Amino acid sequence: MTLLFPLFLAAAAAVIAPILLHLRRQPPKTKVEFSSLQFLMPTPMVTTTRSKIERWLLLALRCLALLLLAAMFARPFLADQKMRDGKGKAVLVMVDRSASMQQSDHFAQALAKAREWLRKGDQVAVATFDRQLQKVGAFSSVAVLPEVQCGWAGTDLGRALVEAVGWINEVPGVAEKQIVVMSDFQDGANVEALRGFAWPEAVTLVTEVITPKDTNNLSAGLVVGVADSDEVDASKASTMLRVRVANARDSKTEQFVLKWPDGSLAAEGQLLPGATRVLRVPRPAAAGPQVLQLSGDGWAIDNALHIAPPQPRIVKVVTLTGDEDAGSVESPMFYLSRAMVPTSKLAPEIVPGGGAEALKTAAWVVMTNDAAPLPELRPRIENGGRALCVVTGTETKALAALIGSAVKIEEAEVKDFSLLSEVDYSHPVMKPFEDGRLRDFTKIHFWKHRTLVADGVKMEIVARFDNNEPALLSVPMGKGRLVILLSGWQPRDSQLALSSKFVPLLYGMLGEAGISLEQPAQFVVGDALPEGVAEKPGFVKTKDGRTLGVNLPPEESRINPMDLGKLVSLGVKMKSEVILPVKDQERLANEDLEAKQQYWLIALALLLAVLGVETWLAGRKSADGTLDAA
């Protein structure tokens, strides 16, 4: 047992008072008049001290009451050594390693503050975060901060905190849980993940803010919009850029200059603090990747804009057919080659009759059911490839070899023509038709179609004909997918190739294979690239020969400090804390522990009970006339 205010125990010396009062003899309060003594002179009574105490129980109650009163003000509590040494508190130290921490010595300051939190005796773990939380080490009583590097990604503070809460809640047997964040808490940090998240009452957030010394920051970024779309003349899109220049809210600089690597001036001007301007900048005459350099501020990390030249993505489409001439108007491949037209972002390359080598680099395979079986195609699909089989006849060898099951194909009975019905627009293949205004297939007539039976093969029906027969099937195969169209799109079988739905349907299948027309005009650090993830600003070379420009996330240029009240409004339980001396930390820990135990309430209850018994006992003695002391 420990006392929070031990000096109050000195008040226990007051127990001497009832002892002295009990030893002091008082004159009798009851007088009896005798007639024989009324003519004598009165003599004052001399009070003497008793030699012994006669009312021990009453004296003990009075002394106990004084002792309980002193103990109550001394605030007793059980001093758990584990709690006092800090082992009962789990601390998760989070260091911001996003791009904004690259400026000056911000990251070094964060690491220095993090080391101050690695106190012995606590259950401490260390993590870093940018777009997500990265665990550096498990919770331990002796935590060590290893060597970590600052990155270039954006800041998703909300997601990191949600993941941190889940991690610290896994620590058992602790009385207190704290998440300590070392960050610049810049205004560009994303906190949307905290919206709707139930922050636990037992977890407290402590903020260690890294304040920027220089608030003069200009930033530049590419603007993606109409000027980069396919509707605009490609020559204009390739010669002009739209660049957004922004000035920080607390910046004291207003002049900016944009230059190309050869020193030629791209643009210059004046921008007020907090303002943004979009400039049209001509591309330099030199071909290839270019770096547009911004100058005029004190932050260098976001002054380089990496611009890749316009270059469509080359997509190889391997076609496999039977003996039919692919150049004939009766061949499905004739219409395929004319539908897959190059755009500014996508350049389909038709590879007819490709073998095993062509399959290695193929993004998509289109075949007819009368094509010669290709053994390498099935493993290719099972490893994530995509293929389309157009059923133009009743030949089954290629399809049976592909799906690994006996297949039966027959011509369906068609009266005049068939129409598509019961189309599953939620299927990835039908994504181009998500808009209800584009779902009218009633003008496409199918003169011929086939029925297919494959026992033991799981097939998803994407669309049916109006006679309830399947029209478009999707067959999952390992990591890949085979799509089967049970009618040809050439005029001999249907009107599909001549309709406005043909090209969107083909690109829907291509998009399901991971090849989309919606390729980003620029990448930022953390984005998924065709090979891997963008880790830092610069240029990345892809396997198909393209050069991609990777830039800093634009949110990292918003360096003004965030209003921490925003976190409170999202339900985060915050605590402003500084590193105190060990004695002060122990004192505060003892105060928190005593406030939780509240043993003084027990002392108060006992005191009231003792006083009640003492009052009853004293009153009873007085009523009997037997009490002659105190």
Side-chain angles (χ1 to χ4, degrees), residues 326-341:
S328 170
V329 293
E330 294 299 326
S331 171
M333 304 310 166
F334 175 83
Y335 300 94
L336 175 70
S337 60
R338 281 152 181 79
M340 307 293 288
V341 294

Side-chain angles (χ1 to χ4, degrees), residues 231-306:
E231 287 78 11
V232 180
D233 185 0
S235 62
K236 293 182 179 179
S238 62
T239 58
M240 297 296 293
L241 293 170
R242 292 198 301 165
V243 179
R244 178 187 291 109
V245 181
N247 199 0
R249 185 174 63 243
D250 297 332
S251 178
K252 296 179 180 178
T253 183
E254 298 180 359
Q255 301 292 331
F256 70 89
V257 177
L258 288 169
K259 288 186 177 182
W260 294 107
D262 59 2
S264 60
L265 181 67
E268 63 178 341
Q270 186 175 10
L271 196 62
L272 296 175
T276 301
R277 181 187 299 177
V278 176
L279 306 173
R280 290 190 175 272
V281 177
R283 286 180 180 269
Q290 299 287 337
V291 178
L292 186 60
Q293 193 70 34
L294 174 69
S295 60
D297 64 347
W299 283 59
I301 63 172
D302 57 354
N303 284 353
L305 189 59
H306 299 83

Side-chain angles (χ1 to χ4, degrees), residues 307-330:
I307 302 172
Q311 46 194 334
R313 179 177 180 179
I314 299 175
V315 178
K316 290 187 178 181
V317 180
V318 173
T319 60
L320 304 173
T321 60
D323 297 331
E324 192 174 57
D325 182 11
S328 170
V329 293
E330 294 299 326

Side-chain angles (χ1 to χ4, degrees), residues 381-624:
I381 297 176
E382 291 177 340
N383 289 328
R386 298 294 192 274
L388 168 65
C389 180
V390 184
V391 180
T392 59
T394 58
E395 179 63 41
T396 61
K397 288 183 180 180
L399 199 55
L402 189 56
I403 64 178
S405 174
V407 174
K408 182 179 180 182
I409 301 177
E410 295 180 347
E411 290 287 342
E413 294 184 6
V414 178
K415 185 178 180 181
D416 295 333
F417 57 85
S418 296
L419 299 175
L420 288 181
S421 65
E422 297 185 34
V423 180
D424 182 8
Y425 295 103
S426 63
H427 197 278
V429 170
M430 306 303 292
K431 185 177 180 181
F433 307 102
E434 286 180 331
D435 191 338
R437 296 171 297 180
L438 304 176
R439 297 180 178 180
D440 185 10
F441 285 87
T442 59
K443 296 180 181 179
I444 304 175
H445 296 174
F446 290 83
W447 316 118
K448 299 178 182 180
H449 69 85
R450 287 96 206 165
T451 61
L452 182 147
V453 177
D455 295 333
V457 179
K458 180 183 178 182
M459 297 184 180
E460 304 170 358
I461 299 178
V462 181
R464 293 180 182 270
F465 292 110
D466 54 2
N467 61 359
N468 207 37
E469 295 288 347
L472 190 64
L473 299 173
S474 175
V475 184
M477 296 176 58
K479 298 179 181 179
R481 185 184 302 275
L482 169 66
V483 177
I484 304 174
L485 177 62
L486 290 168
S487 176
W489 52 57
Q490 70 276 21
R492 180 179 60 193
D493 278 9
S494 72
Q495 296 176 331
L496 180 59
L498 304 179
S499 73
S500 60
K501 301 294 189 293
F502 182 54
V503 173
L505 181 61
L506 291 179
Y507 277 97
M509 296 181 187
L510 199 59
E512 197 274 334
I515 310 298
S516 175
L517 281 173
E518 301 174 359
Q519 299 294 326
Q522 65 170 333
F523 293 87
V524 298
V525 178
D527 282 352
L529 301 177
E531 295 93 22
V533 177
E535 296 182 353
K536 61 181 181 179
F539 295 104
V540 177
K541 198 81 171 179
T542 63
K543 291 181 180 180
D544 57 7
R546 292 179 300 143
T547 300
L548 306 179
V550 179
N551 292 299
L552 202 69
E555 296 82 11
E556 291 301 295
S557 298
R558 294 162 54 189
I559 63 170
N560 298 103
M562 173 197 304
D563 181 8
L564 296 180
K566 185 177 182 180
L567 297 178
V568 177
S569 66
L570 292 172
V572 178
K573 182 182 178 184
M574 296 187 61
K575 179 178 181 181
S576 299
E577 184 169 327
V578 294
I579 304 299
L580 300 174
V582 176
K583 289 184 178 180
D584 292 339
Q585 293 179 26
E586 185 174 356
R587 175 179 57 81
L588 292 175
N590 287 341
E591 289 180 358
D592 291 341
L593 192 56
E594 189 278 331
K596 293 176 181 177
Q597 296 177 357
Q598 294 186 333
Y599 286 134
W600 68 273
L601 289 177
I602 300 176
L604 176 60
L606 292 174
L607 174 61
L608 294 176
V610 168
L611 290 178
V613 174
E614 188 274 341
T615 302
W616 173 79
L617 186 58
R620 184 170 173 233
K621 296 290 185 180
S622 298
D624 293 344

